């Protein structure tokens, strides 16, 4: 038996998957494995992409995966594309919504854009989406304050809503129309964060129960909504999108889960007619005041489940009730129906359904540590084997059998990911419309045009990382930077500042993005990579899972280098002498960060390995991961899915667990990790490594022994600016990504983009 003492304290902070070590550093064996040594045998996939998908399937078949990983096992065979000409597909055929004729079936949904009420940015943002070729653009309801209703609220100090007259809505609508695209505005009321002072509400109590509203409250809502629709028509809008899903006011009447009014009440739960009365009164009133040619679309829960107490869903709407509600809405004059997932306890899950598929091996995770079984929950008619892609389409297909107006679905609808899947769904009558948000609004406003023009490889893929909910898109820095000091020119890149030869060293995300933007500006660009393009993106996809589309991201970045004419040289080691030989005008160093020495020396029974090496190791059943950063935590999730017993140790406080991930992603993944048996040891430093165990010292000075067959060191990378420092003064020198600040994929791409725009 052996024990190795740790000298000093290991510093374990946050960092990302991108670094100075190329894929060659992993060794061929790492990229050829879908699961860890020591797991049940399985066929070795040839690529990281196949490893991420085939590995999880094989694990479920062999039974070596965690129980959670054996529910809703992903099958990535649905992502095929046999379409030769998208312009002649059903998705790019015309369709009518009431009197409106849409040029295609792709609609920008009304989800929050994180765009403030600043007219220049709001107009440019929505105009770019319309110019990008969508069939219609829906504007989020966050811009609107209604006449009387919104004067009776308690809101946070950062409430940015305006009256319709004060808002930029009229200018937004005019800009969208200038591209010959219909413009519809959502109307929503009573979402969390905006607490309406209903007459029956006490100082405390549930804010989303129907009984809180008096008859006067109800009439005020109906009248204000109709009056708001009239103002929107006067502003030029083609219609409204009535939000009757999730926590929005009509939804609490639709479902018995929220409708706790007396059975004899005219708005009570005793009949479908009573439950929908508020919504149908609004629809009829809008049609009467605005005319039959003013569109009223309704957003509804297509399938419901009680995520807070999974399975306790007796008060949730059945599919038969949902169909009856949709029939009543159509009878009142609704022109189209948009369906989304209906949950109740965690508000964000209502519009971020793909968060349920955010972690490796956690497909179907709620934010409460439980797991949906889509064969049973939500009435059992949703397909959970596609990592959430098109999840709501089962509900669309059922509702379409009971109504004659167009029906569509929203949340993780991404035809570029799975063209055949979505085209077949349109052709076989599963749904009529594809409502999209993040892939278009945040990632690529030209999505529709690129797809129609068969430029599918030029579409920036949505990674579903959910960083956009914090205001930062991983793949498109424009989403949060346009018309700021960092990007005052807006969406279009500035033309070249004279003729310059740009040399980019490093072919990870930061380097590829910098090279692409420099070439787009008109510079002559060469990119040098000592291994192969992508940095550690392939490794990251193996560990994080295929659901974040990191393989697609790598392929997009590499393809755009060809499109923009970048001279790419792989297998070239670059030092200062080589740079001087090339004599560039601009040098952009994107060589990634440096790996520190391992935090400790292992023993024969308990080796200590670096995070990029653990896939090739025989690591046993009990595994300790050092670090609370994104890389450490993603490795822990991967290991948990393999059936390992995982403990994560860090000197940081518990709140730092998952640092570098989006807060929303952690809201789903962190509870799943704990529910699957994962352990967290915050404020603990590694003291020693023994055979089969380690000892850590906690914040109280007490030693804690943790079983460990292997320790994976995910310590923070360090900046790697040596090449840039040596060449300072010889030309314009910049460092981007982890080379300058080891942090995250989105930081790498953002710094690469902004540097290229300003060099």
């Amino acid at each position: 038996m052996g024990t190795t003492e740790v000298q000093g304290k290991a510093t374990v902070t946050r960092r990302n998957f991108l670094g100075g070590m190329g894929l060659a550093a992993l060794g061929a064996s790492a990229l050829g494995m879908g699961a860890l040594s020591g797991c049940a045998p399985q066929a070795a996939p040839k690529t990281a992409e196949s490893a991420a998908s085939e590995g999880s399937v094989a694990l479920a078949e062999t039974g070596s995966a965690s129980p959670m990983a054996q529910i809703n096992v992903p099958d990535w065979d649905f992502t095929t594309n046999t379409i030769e000409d998208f312009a002649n597909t059903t998705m790019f055929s015309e369709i009518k919504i009431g009197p409106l004729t849409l040029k295609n079936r792709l609609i920008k949904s009304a989800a929050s854009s994180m765009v403030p009420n600043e007219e220049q940015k709001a107009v440019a943002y929505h105009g770019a989406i319309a110019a990008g070729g969508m069939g219609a653009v829906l504007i989020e309801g966050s811009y609107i304050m209604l006449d009387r209703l919104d004067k009776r609220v308690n809101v946070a100090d950062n409430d940015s809503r305006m009256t319709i007259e004060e808002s930029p809505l009229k200018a937004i609508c005019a800009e969208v129309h200038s591209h010959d695209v219909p413009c519809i505005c959502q109307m929503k009321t009573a979402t969390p964060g905006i607490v309406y002072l209903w007459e029956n509400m006490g100082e405390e109590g549930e804010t989303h129960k129907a009984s809180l509203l008096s008859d006067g409250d109800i009439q005020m809502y109906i009248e204000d909504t109709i009056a708001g629709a009239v103002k929107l028509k006067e502003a030029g809008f083609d219609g409204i999108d009535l939000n009757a899903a999730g926590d929005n006011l009509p939804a609490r009447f639709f479902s018995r889960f929220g409708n706790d009014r007396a059975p004899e009440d005219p708005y009570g739960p005793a009949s479908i007619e009573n439950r929908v009365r508020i919504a149908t009164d609004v629809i009829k009133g809008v049609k009467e005041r605005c005319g039959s040619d003013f569109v009223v679309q309704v957003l509804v829960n297509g399938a419901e489940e009680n995520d807070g107490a999974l399975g306790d869903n007796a008060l949730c709407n059945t599919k038969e009730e949902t169909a009856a509600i949709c029939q009543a809405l159509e009878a009142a004059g609704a022109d189209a129906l948009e369906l989304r997932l209906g949950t109740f306890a965690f508000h964000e899950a209502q519009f971020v359904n793909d968060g349920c598929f955010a972690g490796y091996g956690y497909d179907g995770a709620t934010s409460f540590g439980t797991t949906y079984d889509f064969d049973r929950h939500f009435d059992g008619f949703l397909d959970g084997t596609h990592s959430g892609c098109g999840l709501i389409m089962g509900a669309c297909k059922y509702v379409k059998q009971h109504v004659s107006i167009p029906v569509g679905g929203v949340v993780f609808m991404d035809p570029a990911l799975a063209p055949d899947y979505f085209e077949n769904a349109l052709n076989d009558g599963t749904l009529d419309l594809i409502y999209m948000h993040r892939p278009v609004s945040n990632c690529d406003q030209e999505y529709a045009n690129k797809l129609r023009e068969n430029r599918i490889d030029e579409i920036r893929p949505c990674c579903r990382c959910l960083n956009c909910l914090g205001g930062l898109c991983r793949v498109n820095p424009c989403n949060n930077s346009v018309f700021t000091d960092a990007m005052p020119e807006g969406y279009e890149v500035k033309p070249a500042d004279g003729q310059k030869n740009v040399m980019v060293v490093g072919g990870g995300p930061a380097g590829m993005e910098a090279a692409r933007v420099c070439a787009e500006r008109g510079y002559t660009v060469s990119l040098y990579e000592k291994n192969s393009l992508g940095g550690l993106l392939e490794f990251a996809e193996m560990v994080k899972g295929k659901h974040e589309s990191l393989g697609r991201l790598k392929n997009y970045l590499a393809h755009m280098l060809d499109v923009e004419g970048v001279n790419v040289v792989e297998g070239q080691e670059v030092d200062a002498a080589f740079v001087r030989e090339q004599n560039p005008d601009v040098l952009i160093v994107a060589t990634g960060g440096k790996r520190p020495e391992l935090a400790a020396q292992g023993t024969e029974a308990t080796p200590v390995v670096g995070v990029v090496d653990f896939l090739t190791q025989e690591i046993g059943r009990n595994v300790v991961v050092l670090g609370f950063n994104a890389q450490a935590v993603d490795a822990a999730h991967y290991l948990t899915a393999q059936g390992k017993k995982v403990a994560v140790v860090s000197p940081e406080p518990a709140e730092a667990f998952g640092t570098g991930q989006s807060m929303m992603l952690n809201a789903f993944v962190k509870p799943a990790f704990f529910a699957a048996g994962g352990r967290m040891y915050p404020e603990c430093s590694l003291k020693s490594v023994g055979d089969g165990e380690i000892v850590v010292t906690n914040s109280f000075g007490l030693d804690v022994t943790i079983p460990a067959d292997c320790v994976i060191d995910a310590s923070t990378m360090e900046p790697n600016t040596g090449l840039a420092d040596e060449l300072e003064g010889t030309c314009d020198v910049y460092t981007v990504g982890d080379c300058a600040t080891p942090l995250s994929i989105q930081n790498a791409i953002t710094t690469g983009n902004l540097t290229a725009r300003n060099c």
Side-chain angles (χ1 to χ4, degrees), residues 169-170 173-174 177 183 230-239 294:
L169 284 171
K170 185 174 182 178
C173 183
H177 280 165
C183 193
V230 171
K231 291 183 178 182
L232 289 170
K233 182 179 181 181
E234 292 171 349
F237 282 88
D238 300 293
F294 190 74

Side-chain angles (χ1 to χ4, degrees), residues 362-383:
Y362 302 146
D363 281 34
T366 74
S367 57
F368 299 94
T370 53
T371 306
Y372 297 122
D373 181 345
F374 289 102
D375 289 335
R376 298 285 295 167
H377 298 124
F378 293 101
D379 257 343
F381 68 144
L382 306 180
D383 187 347

Side-chain angles (χ1 to χ4, degrees), residues 110-171:
S112 175
S113 61
M114 306 296 289
V115 174
N117 280 333
E118 178 192 342
E119 184 166 316
Q120 181 189 32
K121 187 170 184 177
V123 170
Y125 169 83
H126 293 99
I129 295 170
M134 298 299 285
V137 173
L138 272 58
I139 312 300
E140 65 190 83
S142 300
Y143 287 99
I144 294 178
M145 290 184 69
L146 299 178
D147 288 341
R148 294 174 295 166
L149 195 64
D150 287 305
K151 291 180 172 60
R152 302 179 62 231
V153 299
N154 285 335
V155 296
D157 292 337
N158 62 353
D159 181 25
S160 62
R161 294 172 306 152
M162 299 179 177
T163 64
I164 294 173
E165 295 86 350
E166 295 170 334
S167 75
L169 284 171
K170 185 174 182 178

